[in-house]
Amino acid sequence: MNKAVLKQLRDRYMSEQKILCTGNPNREYTIAHAVKQVFPSADFISLSNGWDLRGELTEFKKKIQTYNIFINASLIENGCQLRLLNAAADVLKYGHLFNVGSCTEYQPDNRREYADSKRELRDRSLELYSYRLRTTHIVLGGLQDPEHPNWMPADRVADTIKWI
């Protein structure tokens, strides 16, 4: 297939944004909550609505097939974001995968397992990037909450995803 035909197919597939995001949108100060404000039609998966993403991902793979944007925002346990990224990449023909990392990726002695998990997520995200499957890895510090009022508000993350 030539590039013009591929572009036509991708543009048609991506013309309607169908967004799936990890996290509970009802929990304030989370990326999921901010995504819900910016993308009201987005769908969410988390323990709060019956999705335990720590185990087998067969049902997740079925669900993700109907979406073209995946916001991999929740740290469920070390390595889970990477497993979700790989599962989404296995089944999506076209799409955009957003992965939320951490500035801890650049501090190898700080919270080692967590930092390793985020670095693996970043590296795999970069490996997967292609014309048909776009990947974006967002590196963040802490998010604003009542204890940290001067940290970055989560809505900045959602606004950045919209801009991209």
Side-chain angles (χ1 to χ4, degrees), residues 9-158:
L9 286 170
R10 183 180 189 283
D11 288 348
R12 184 172 65 215
Y13 183 79
M14 293 296 289
S15 64
E16 181 185 343
Q17 292 182 339
K18 295 161 134 187
I19 301 170
L20 182 64
C21 179
T22 58
N24 180 353
N26 299 320
R27 199 167 146 233
E28 286 190 86
Y29 305 105
T30 65
I31 292 171
H33 183 78
V35 166
K36 186 66 174 174
Q37 306 310 306
V38 174
F39 303 104
S41 64
D43 289 328
F44 298 85
I45 54 175
S46 70
L47 275 175
S48 66
N49 63 4
W51 285 89
D52 186 350
L53 300 169
R54 295 173 292 187
E56 177 60 44
L57 296 179
T58 303
E59 291 303 312
F60 171 77
K61 284 183 173 184
K62 288 178 189 173
K63 185 167 186 70
I64 194 71
Q65 289 179 32
T66 62
Y67 297 87
N68 55 14
I69 297 173
F70 177 50
I71 303 172
N72 194 2
S74 295
L75 175 70
I76 299 159
E77 65 183 14
N78 288 335
C80 192
Q81 279 184 287
L82 178 61
R83 291 178 53 245
L84 291 170
L85 170 62
N86 285 327
D90 284 347
V91 297
L92 289 179
K93 292 180 183 178
Y94 294 96
H96 199 142
L97 309 176
F98 291 89
N99 298 290
V100 176
S102 168
C103 61
T104 302
E105 296 167 26
Y106 299 98
Q107 301 167 350
D109 294 331
N110 184 17
R111 298 172 54 196
R112 185 149 186 83
E113 285 182 44
Y114 175 74
D116 289 347
S117 175
K118 291 296 190 172
R119 276 193 297 279
E120 289 171 8
L121 177 68
R122 177 197 64 208
D123 294 347
R124 182 65 175 143
S125 180
L126 291 169
E127 287 173 8
L128 287 171
Y129 182 87
S130 69
Y131 180 76
R132 73 170 186 86
L133 194 63
R134 306 289 172 129
T135 60
T136 300
H137 185 78
I138 302 170
V139 177
L140 300 175
L143 292 177
Q144 186 179 75
D145 62 22
E147 292 179 30
H148 305 95
N150 296 322
W151 289 9
M152 181 174 35
D155 62 348
R156 293 262 180 96
V157 179

